[in-house]
Amino acid sequence: IYLYPWHFFRRHLTFKNRKWSFKYNDDNIYADEEGKKFTCPPPNNSVRRFVAEELLSTTSPKDRWTTTGMPKWLMVMLAIDDNESDSALSKKVEAEEDMSPKAMQMKVELHRARAHSLKEQLDEKVKNSDAILAAVNERHAKEKLAWKEKHDAALSELKQKHEKELKVNEEQLKANEQKYEKQLKANEQTYKEALKAKDADISAATSVIHDQKETIE
């Protein structure tokens, strides 16, 4: 709950000693911009104009309202609005001497409102923390997935490169085997032809020796 001077019409307020307070009239009748009548100052629907024309930026939020001559309900709401432990408004409400059932009920409502406000703030902080944690987990999951995809891509590329090199080596080895086999066959054929020629020479020489032997005899 946040209440500030600009939440009310300027004509229903008095500004004195840098403090704001309600300007009460004799008949306790207050009108809004549409002419509707109220028994208390109605809310202002022209906040922007009030801020632009009346608000002093140098005035701290907790010092915008006077602590005297104001309705008790406004003091209670301002005390709820002010979370500072040394707030003058909070101390004024808490130190209220009126111990009537109505005052006691007001204090109960005050503490209940404070507890509710703190719970809402805590819930909001938990919600924000959960959102931050969820965002961090999501980012971590995305980074992990991106790293895995990058790693798998690099591994696949390395595997393809290795398979390609292995295939090239196998083809080169097969080509060398065919080359050496062909060369071996050629050498074997050459050896056979040389051996055959040698046998022919030996046979011819043997024939010559045989003829010479017959001639001598």
Side-chain angles (χ1 to χ4, degrees):
I1 301 173
Y2 296 93
L3 284 178
Y4 299 100
W6 53 84
H7 290 155
F8 301 92
F9 291 103
R10 179 65 181 87
R11 62 180 177 275
H12 298 154
L13 298 172
T14 299
F15 186 68
K16 184 178 181 181
N17 297 328
R18 301 178 65 83
K19 301 287 185 178
W20 293 92
S21 62
F22 286 144
K23 181 191 295 183
Y24 297 106
N25 52 42
D26 295 335
D27 53 5
N28 292 328
I29 299 298
Y30 308 88
D32 62 8
E33 291 294 289
E34 297 177 353
K36 295 180 180 179
K37 305 295 183 179
F38 300 89
T39 58
C40 62
N44 179 18
N45 57 1
S46 301
V47 174
R48 185 186 300 275
R49 185 173 62 188
F50 185 106
V51 172
E53 295 177 356
E54 303 294 341
L55 182 63
L56 296 178
S57 59
T58 58
T59 304
S60 61
K62 68 178 182 179
D63 293 331
R64 290 194 178 111
W65 293 93
T66 182
T67 58
T68 58
M70 298 294 285
K72 185 176 294 184
W73 62 265
L74 181 60
M75 292 293 98
V76 173
M77 297 184 75
L78 290 176
I80 295 173
D81 185 16
D82 197 338
N83 290 324
E84 297 183 11
S85 59
D86 60 346
S87 168
L89 297 176
S90 297
K91 291 180 179 180
K92 177 179 178 59
V93 173
E94 292 176 354
E96 183 67 43
E97 295 180 355
D98 184 3
M99 300 302 291
S100 65
K102 185 176 180 179
M104 291 296 294
Q105 180 65 27
M106 182 177 295
K107 288 187 178 182
V108 170
E109 293 298 330
L110 167 62
H111 291 295
R112 184 177 299 168
R114 283 178 174 171
H116 181 71
S117 176
L118 291 175
K119 182 180 182 302
E120 287 185 341
Q121 293 178 29
L122 179 60
D123 291 343
E124 186 66 21
K125 288 182 180 179
V126 171
K127 182 179 179 181
N128 292 338
S129 298
D130 290 343
I132 293 174
L133 180 60
V136 171
N137 290 336
E138 183 180 359
R139 184 171 67 251
H140 177 70
K142 289 182 179 180
E143 291 176 351
K144 184 178 180 180
L145 179 61
W147 180 87
K148 184 177 183 303
E149 291 176 349
K150 184 177 180 180
H151 176 267
D152 291 345
L155 186 62
S156 177
E157 182 180 357
L158 183 62
K159 183 179 179 181
Q160 292 177 0
K161 182 179 179 181
H162 176 71
E163 290 176 348
K164 184 177 181 180
E165 291 177 352
L166 183 61
K167 184 177 181 181
V168 171
N169 292 336
E170 288 178 349
E171 292 176 352
Q172 185 65 38
L173 180 61
K174 187 176 181 180
N176 291 338
E177 288 178 350
Q178 293 175 351
K179 178 181 177 181
Y180 294 148
E181 185 177 357
K182 184 177 181 181
Q183 186 175 354
L184 181 61
K185 287 181 178 180
N187 292 340
E188 184 179 359
Q189 181 66 27
T190 302
Y191 173 75
K192 287 181 178 180
E193 291 176 356
L195 184 61
K196 183 177 181 181
K198 196 69 173 177
D199 290 342
D201 292 341
I202 293 174
S203 178
T206 302
S207 178
V208 170
I209 294 174
H210 180 71
D211 292 342
Q212 289 178 353
K213 183 180 178 181
E214 289 181 350
T215 301
I216 295 174
E217 291 178 351

